[in-house]
Amino acid sequence: MKVLLPDSVELDVALPAGVTGVTYAIGVPVPDEHADAEVLVVWGNPPDQLADAARRLTRLRWVQSLAAGPDAVLQAGFDPGIVVTAGLGLHDKTVAEHTLALLLAAARRLNLLVRAQIGHRWAGELGGLQPVKDNNCFRTLRDAHVVIWGFGGIAATLAPLLTALGARVTGVARSAGERHGFPVVTDTELPELLPTADVLVSILPATAETVRKLNESVLDLLPSHAWVVNVGRGSTLDEDALLRALRSGRIAGAALDVFETEPLPATSGLWDEANVIITPHAAGGRPLGAAALIEENLAAFREGRSLRNRVA
């Protein structure tokens, strides 16, 4: 059995006897001599390279994506009979850390402070004496209500960090109940929930059902001091609706790590909004525990057992 490993990440995978590992370059087509591979591991592969692999790797039986969302693999055109597994769990810590950084930057107005620093201006209005409690502004995680839409592994890692700083967390998912000690509701309760939110964090995956799910009708439910944070997928946010909400003052700000088009075009109005924090899809980028996941799934695959994180 031949396993193709991407050159986009260091993978110290312990392969059992009878399994050959070959490192391939993700930026070019897989060489012909390795088109007989049965397993393909994917991380950061461009769409055209994936589409080429889907056409030429005719003996392929399983694709392991190291991304939490396997949408790129699912859209590449692989045969429906090929098993596809995702990298769920590999990005929980890194994305949670980045999301916390975005929330703290928004609360502490680092976006405005950086602009002042670039202009060599002492922003006295942002320092000095501050009110202990300001119900009309998001200025602290202490006593803030953070709603997390898409309550999976990343949210489960993020939520305790938020509560440690004094926030109250409510999750939104496809089924209601309690997860990891936090209350979770369905999106049918958004009309009652969002007016109480100080921050709405979206960690929604990219699916046909979530395209522009975070739209004008959702944004209209938020109070005017609320911030929107998107660290899930860019396709889930209606960027035009967000711009209108920001410019009209219907919401206070947004911190965005993912976008419908990446890189974000220079013509996007989001660049010029003072209360928009932009990071270049930087929340993840480091699949922690990837080798262990590959080893676990490889053993299961060879033994005919169920694979972890199977999506197709």
Side-chain angles (χ1 to χ4, degrees):
M1 176 182 292
K2 182 180 290 185
V3 178
L4 297 182
L5 302 170
D7 67 351
S8 50
V9 61
E10 294 180 10
L11 289 172
D12 186 14
V13 181
L15 298 175
V19 177
T20 302
V22 175
T23 299
Y24 71 97
I26 66 167
V28 297
V30 173
D32 288 339
E33 62 265 33
H34 300 310
D36 58 344
E38 296 180 63
V39 181
L40 175 68
V41 180
V42 170
W43 176 239
N45 302 51
D48 58 344
Q49 197 272 351
L50 282 177
D52 178 79
R55 288 192 301 269
R56 294 176 46 244
L57 274 59
T58 56
R59 295 186 60 185
L60 206 61
R61 299 167 57 203
W62 164 36
V63 177
Q64 170 70 66
S65 173
L66 300 183
D71 39 295
V73 171
L74 296 177
Q75 295 166 7
F78 287 99
D79 187 278
I82 293 175
V83 174
V84 177
T85 51
L88 296 173
L90 304 183
H91 306 276
D92 293 355
K93 293 180 180 179
T94 54
V95 177
E97 182 179 48
H98 193 86
T99 307
L100 178 62
L102 292 177
L103 285 164
L104 289 172
R108 292 296 178 166
R109 296 175 280 190
L110 294 188
N111 53 309
L112 302 180
L113 291 168
V114 168
R115 283 173 176 251
Q117 179 180 346
I118 292 172
H120 295 194
R121 184 179 73 84
W122 182 265
E125 76 280 7
L126 300 179
L129 303 180
Q130 302 289 320
V132 174
K133 188 175 181 62
D134 188 345
N135 293 327
N136 296 315
C137 296
F138 171 55
R139 292 291 174 259
T140 177
L141 284 171
R142 186 184 64 256
D143 298 324
H145 184 198
V146 180
V147 175
I148 304 178
W149 197 356
F151 207 87
I154 295 171
T157 303
L158 173 65
L161 304 178
L162 299 177
T163 56
L165 292 172
R168 176 169 65 94
V169 176
T170 304
V172 181
R174 283 184 289 185
S175 58
E178 183 178 293
R179 297 188 188 180
H180 310 284
F182 295 93
V184 175
V185 301
T186 66
D187 58 12
T188 59
E189 296 190 42
L190 289 179
E192 293 77 34
L193 179 67
L194 291 188
T196 72
D198 297 294
V199 183
L200 171 60
V201 177
S202 175
I203 320 181
L204 289 170
T207 67
E209 293 74 25
T210 61
V211 173
R212 297 189 178 180
K213 190 85 169 177
L214 186 47
N215 52 32
E216 189 168 20
S217 62
V218 171
L219 297 172
D220 282 346
L221 295 172
L222 292 165
S224 59
H225 70 273
W227 275 65
V228 170
V229 177
N230 189 14
V231 292
R233 284 291 186 265
S235 62
T236 65
L237 172 65
D238 185 334
E239 293 175 7
D240 291 336
L242 177 67
L243 266 174
R244 289 193 296 270
L246 289 165
R247 289 171 174 172
S248 66
R250 285 191 284 118
I251 63 171
L256 310 172
D257 184 57
V258 290
F259 302 88
E260 190 165 12
T261 299
E262 296 182 358
L264 181 66
T267 54
S268 172
L270 293 169
W271 289 111
D272 299 318
E273 293 299 314
N275 276 343
V276 173
I277 300 172
I278 291 173
T279 56
H281 206 138
R286 291 145 290 182
L288 305 180
L293 175 61
I294 294 169
E295 291 168 5
E296 176 187 338
N297 270 349
L298 183 58
F301 184 73
R302 298 182 78 207
E303 296 167 10
R305 296 184 283 110
S306 297
L307 276 65
R308 179 176 153 198
N309 298 343
R310 180 168 179 169
V311 295

